[in-house]
Amino acid sequence: MKPLTNRSKAVSNKKMTFLERIYLPAIIGGMFITFKHIFKKKATVKWPEETRTFSDVYRGRHVLKRDDKGAERCTSCGLCAVACPAEAISMVSSERKKGEENLYREEKYASIYEINMLRCIFCGLCEEACPKEAIFLTTELLPANYEREGFIFGKDRLVEPVDKRVDVSKRQTSEVVSRKFND
Ligand code: SF4
Ligand code: SF4
């Protein structure tokens, strides 16, 4: 069958020369390439001793934000889960009870909210879809874990602590907000 590209090469059965049979020129050529790289700037870093500087809008692990008064912003509308191409987000909605106004901003909230980080491809579509500015990705890397269950992040690891707020101002710029809500 005719190939789709002209990249394929016909196999040659010609006998190897003496030099080709002892492989020395090929080995020396390979070593030369290796030595050339010794003096070049390394692309790798010795993590965790060394860390890279990430862009302010790097897409790392998620955070569920609280409002200024400390109430959870998420209203469990499910738009992030619908937008997620990896189907990594699941949640259970509950109705806010009297006296819980300081805990949840809206009348409906997510009593369970989970992200399966093994499925997540860190595309950021959940962040874009959220109409409540509740979910953001952060510059924080995902911690390693030996167990699969350790990659299911529930609210205990997603909702930001009241006394340790996560700064998302670099992602939630006025330009981003106006594009999100006016386009
Ligand atoms: S970053 Fe992308 S893949 Fe990950 S949870 Fe959000 S929408 Fe899904
Ligand atoms: S994080 Fe945003 S999009 Fe997802 S359920 Fe909560 S309010 Fe809706």
Side-chain angles (χ1 to χ4, degrees), residues 68 76 115 176:
D68 296 340
S76 193
I115 301 181
V176 171

Side-chain angles (χ1 to χ4, degrees), residues 12-146:
S12 153
N13 284 331
K14 80 172 175 60
K15 277 209 161 154
M16 286 204 278
T17 63
F18 173 72
L19 275 180
E20 282 171 337
R21 267 188 285 135
I22 60 171
Y23 295 110
L24 268 180
I27 291 171
I28 292 167
M31 295 303 284
F32 177 70
I33 292 172
T34 306
F35 278 118
K36 239 176 38 182
H37 282 277
I38 288 177
F39 305 104
K40 283 192 179 164
K41 191 173 179 290
K42 290 176 187 59
T44 50
V45 293
K46 292 177 190 157
W47 193 84
E49 290 82 19
E50 288 174 26
T51 48
R52 253 186 221 295
T53 316
F54 291 114
S55 147
D56 290 331
V57 288
Y58 176 82
R59 295 198 291 257
R61 61 168 290 187
H62 311 59
V63 62
L64 284 173
K65 291 286 293 169
R66 295 176 183 275
D67 67 9
D68 296 340
K69 292 180 191 145
E72 290 176 21
R73 290 186 188 176
C74 176
T75 184
S76 193
C77 65
L79 282 177
C80 51
V82 174
C84 177
E87 300 199 348
I89 303 177
S90 52
M91 70 193 75
V92 173
S93 307
S94 295
E95 220 172 294
R96 186 180 71 186
K97 294 188 187 68
K98 230 177 162 197
E100 289 182 335
E101 292 79 6
N102 58 330
L103 299 177
Y104 312 110
R105 190 170 63 174
E106 314 266 342
E107 283 166 8
K108 196 166 69 122
Y109 70 96
S111 49
I112 297 175
Y113 189 107
E114 284 181 351
I115 301 181
N116 183 339
M117 296 296 180
L118 291 175
R119 298 190 74 128
C120 176
I121 54 169
F122 300 93
C123 61
L125 287 180
C126 47
E127 181 181 89
E128 283 194 36
C130 181
K132 300 292 176 184
E133 297 288 276
I135 188 164
F136 289 92
L137 275 69
T138 67
T139 52
E140 207 181 306
L141 293 176
L142 209 62
N145 205 305
Y146 289 110

